[in-house]
Amino acid sequence: NAGVTQTPKFQVLKTGQSMTLQCAQDMNHEYMSWYRQDPGMGLRLIHYSVGAGITDQGEVPNGYNVSRSTTEDFPLRLLSAAPSQTSVYFCASTFGTVNSPLHFGNGTRLTVT
Amino acid sequence: DQQVKQNSPSLSVQEGRISILNCDYTNSMFDYFLWYKKYPAEGPTFLISISSIKDKNEDGRFTVFLNKSAKHLSLHIVPSQPGDSAVYFCAASAENDMRFGAGTRLTVKP
């Protein structure tokens, strides 16, 4: 059972480039979310989805897009990368509501130069 | 505006002693609280949780205490073991919004 899989593990972008961070889960979880982790800031919610076809903004959504066409996949798109988006990104999922324990992927470390 | 705060960035304890990690929150709408543990190069993993209708929840060596009037929760680890060395995040949720603290790095010395 793979759990939550994130790809790539590392990525370096130049300012203005776009890219998609992939997230897939095989646990049939309805709730999926994206967080970024920055020093001294903890984990901040970017976007979340409570089911296929439904997405909503979290605490820091600007500069990011998401879609949820299937239950399994929840990609995060950076439209025009900025140095402020240098961070570690975590995808998480859970069955039911966010009160259920989240299962996290191992993260994607993104550097924007 | 950090709604969940962990004011101690680090904590060092001796093996066998108690570790106490603290967390404060500002939003009275939070109704569920969780602790996650994170090792380097891995994602956080769930440790223990507590609902706002309780004031204590225990699971083996881990106990979480909630003081709603003070908007404060704490995680007690007894006895602490070297394998407990990790970053601990406290989290609070209301509806579909979960907020995390900045984390406390716990080091348990043999």
Side-chain angles (χ1 to χ4, degrees):
Chain A
N1 203 349
V4 179
T5 303
Q6 289 184 239
T7 55
K9 291 189 190 317
F10 302 95
Q11 183 71 49
V12 179
L13 289 178
K14 294 188 176 178
T15 298
Q17 288 184 316
S18 62
M19 80 159 294
T20 299
L21 279 63
Q22 301 292 344
C23 175
Q25 52 90 12
D26 60 0
M27 297 172 283
N28 203 30
H29 286 167
E30 291 294 325
Y31 182 96
M32 295 187 75
S33 54
W34 277 101
Y35 288 86
R36 58 179 288 174
Q37 183 192 7
D38 301 293
M41 300 294 291
L43 292 151
R44 290 183 292 169
L45 180 65
I46 304 172
H47 285 284
Y48 67 93
S49 169
V50 298
I54 306 168
T55 63
D56 209 342
Q57 296 181 351
E59 186 183 358
V60 288
N62 293 340
Y64 307 95
N65 272 358
V66 292
S67 60
R68 186 90 180 272
S69 56
T70 66
T71 299
E72 294 77 20
D73 300 298
F74 191 43
L76 178 72
R77 295 183 188 84
L78 280 71
L79 307 172
S80 177
S84 61
Q85 293 179 305
T86 293
S87 188
V88 181
Y89 291 84
F90 290 99
C91 178
S93 72
T94 190
F95 184 78
T97 71
V98 74
N99 285 352
S100 306
L102 290 168
H103 298 254
F104 283 86
N106 283 335
T108 295
R109 184 175 292 276
L110 175 68
T111 302
V112 183
T113 61
Chain B
D1 172 27
Q2 275 201 287
Q3 298 185 26
V4 179
K5 295 180 183 179
Q6 294 176 257
N7 292 320
S8 298
S10 64
L11 174 69
S12 180
V13 300
Q14 209 65 36
E15 180 179 5
R17 304 295 291 269
I18 185 172
S19 296
I20 300 176
L21 294 88
N22 293 304
C23 179
D24 298 293
Y25 62 96
T26 57
N27 187 345
S28 57
M29 297 301 292
F30 289 140
D31 57 4
Y32 206 76
F33 305 89
L34 307 92
W35 284 93
Y36 288 85
K37 175 175 163 180
K38 185 183 180 305
Y39 293 118
E42 295 182 7
T45 56
F46 168 73
L47 191 57
I48 192 169
S49 63
I50 188 167
S51 163
S52 60
I53 62 172
K54 295 186 175 181
D55 56 15
K56 176 183 174 182
N57 189 26
E58 192 171 354
D59 184 2
R61 296 185 297 114
F62 303 91
T63 303
V64 57
F65 295 92
L66 175 63
N67 182 334
K68 282 180 292 183
S69 60
K71 295 191 179 67
H72 177 84
L73 65 156
S74 61
L75 174 68
H76 293 211
I77 307 174
V78 182
S80 301
Q81 299 173 353
D84 295 329
S85 297
V87 176
Y88 289 77
F89 291 98
C90 114
S93 71
E95 295 187 357
N96 283 312
D97 190 1
M98 178 170 287
R99 302 294 176 105
F100 285 78
T104 296
R105 182 177 301 278
L106 172 67
T107 302
V108 180
K109 298 180 179 179

